[in-house]
Amino acid sequence: MVKAGELEEQQKAAMEEEANAEAAEDQEEPEDTACSSSSKKKKKVVPGIVYLGHVPPRFRPLHVRNLLSAYGEVGRVFFQAEDHFVKRKKKAAAAAGGKKGAKYSKDYTEGWVEFRDKRVAKRVAASLHNTPMGARKRSPFRYDLWNLKYLHRFTWSHLSEHLAFERQVRRQRLRAEVAQAKRETDFYLRNVEQGQHFLAADGDATRPNSSWTFTQRPTEQEFRARKAARPGGRERARLANVEDQARSNRGLLAKIFGAPLPAENKEKP
């Protein structure tokens, strides 16, 4: 009986140990799940880029950083400067104005703003689009609206490549324009030189070359003047005019009264 009781106690102790082990495993599993959930929460933060389509005059990268930093951490900011042609026109207008204190101010056309978290960038672009840029009444950008767009899967390296490509295209276009201007200048100078040699005949640049001399066909009035200058030419010219007038009168009367045309007019084609 003693041995049977000891066996029962041993079995109970073994069962209790197994139950304790299972409870410990159950307690360990929630800890593992908690660790996995915390690891999911601690994902890698991916930066996001927002495109700024409208940049008001005198709006600088420092302004956009100060305004957008209230919504999230702002990283790099880049503004595209205006074209050199527009810059030269503004400088010339400021110099020609003659007003005291009127100076040229460099402006920008577009910009890119990088946020440390792309979720913040999406939220900022969606909430601030078409809203006033300046919240205060005295802000110079109060009547300007945000023009923001989140660039999906766009990184800062893509922006660098895009700007480098635009610079290369601008350089190639400038080289082509310079080469075209040089060709036109060379062609003009070559023609000027040929014209000077062509017009210079026997050291006299005012007298045209003999190859330019040509005779123009005399006009009808000149023919008649020459015939009239001959002896008896005036009388022959008068008779010829009378005959032409009579012939034209006979043809006109024939057309009016329906009579057949004279034989002379029929023979003519």
Side-chain angles (χ1 to χ4, degrees):
M1 294 295 292
V2 177
K3 292 181 179 180
E6 292 178 354
L7 290 174
E8 288 178 359
E9 291 178 358
Q10 290 178 359
Q11 289 178 358
K12 288 180 180 180
M15 291 175 65
E16 289 177 358
E17 289 179 359
E18 290 178 0
N20 293 332
E22 290 178 358
E25 289 179 358
D26 293 338
Q27 290 178 359
E28 289 178 358
E29 286 178 359
E31 292 179 358
D32 295 339
T33 56
C35 293
S36 63
S37 63
S38 63
S39 63
K40 288 181 180 178
K41 289 181 181 179
K42 294 180 180 179
K43 286 183 178 180
K44 184 180 179 181
V45 179
V46 180
I49 296 178
V50 175
Y51 173 72
L52 182 60
H54 170 65
V55 181
R58 301 181 183 277
F59 193 74
R60 301 293 180 262
L62 182 61
H63 295 143
V64 73
R65 185 181 294 276
N66 294 335
L67 292 174
L68 297 182
S69 295
Y71 305 95
E73 187 179 358
V74 178
R76 291 169 286 191
V77 178
F78 177 78
F79 277 11
Q80 180 68 38
E82 59 188 1
D83 193 19
H84 295 284
F85 177 72
V86 179
K87 190 186 300 183
R88 288 196 298 268
K89 288 186 69 176
K90 284 189 176 181
K91 285 184 178 179
K99 295 181 181 179
K100 293 183 178 180
K103 296 182 180 179
Y104 163 74
S105 62
K106 183 179 180 181
D107 294 329
Y108 301 93
T109 57
E110 54 187 354
W112 291 264
V113 183
E114 183 187 32
F115 286 87
R116 296 298 182 187
D117 192 352
K118 67 178 183 180
R119 293 172 294 182
V120 177
K122 290 180 181 178
R123 186 165 59 251
V124 169
S127 60
L128 293 183
H129 185 61
N130 284 336
T131 58
M133 300 180 71
R136 297 179 301 174
K137 293 184 178 180
R138 295 184 179 181
S139 176
F141 316 112
R142 182 187 176 190
Y143 299 102
D144 293 296
L145 301 179
W146 287 106
N147 187 1
L148 301 176
K149 181 181 180 182
Y150 174 73
L151 302 179
H152 185 62
R153 293 183 180 180
F154 190 82
T155 61
W156 203 260
S157 59
H158 295 158
L159 176 60
S160 302
E161 293 175 359
H162 174 69
L163 296 176
F165 175 74
E166 285 188 348
R167 285 194 295 269
Q168 187 67 20
V169 170
R170 194 180 299 111
R171 290 172 185 171
Q172 291 180 358
R173 189 184 298 113
L174 182 60
R175 292 196 197 100
E177 291 177 358
V178 170
Q180 180 67 19
K182 186 177 180 180
R183 285 195 296 268
E184 292 177 358
T185 304
D186 294 340
F187 178 75
Y188 174 75
L189 294 176
R190 187 165 56 252
N191 288 342
V192 168
E193 186 178 357
Q194 290 179 358
Q196 290 177 355
H197 288 297
F198 189 76
L199 294 176
D202 297 333
D204 187 7
T206 59
R207 190 181 67 179
N209 197 358
S210 59
S211 60
W212 282 81
T213 58
F214 60 92
T215 57
Q216 185 178 0
R217 182 179 178 181
T219 62
E220 187 67 22
Q221 294 179 355
E222 292 177 353
F223 272 122
R224 292 180 179 179
R226 290 178 184 177
K227 289 182 179 179
R230 297 175 184 174
R234 292 183 179 180
E235 187 66 20
R236 286 195 297 271
R238 188 179 64 80
L239 293 175
N241 291 333
V242 171
E243 290 178 358
D244 293 340
Q245 187 175 3
R247 193 181 297 110
S248 62
N249 292 336
R250 287 196 298 269
L252 180 61
L253 292 173
K255 288 181 180 180
I256 292 173
F257 295 103
L261 294 173
E264 296 178 357
N265 294 335
K266 289 182 180 179
E267 292 177 359
K268 291 183 179 181

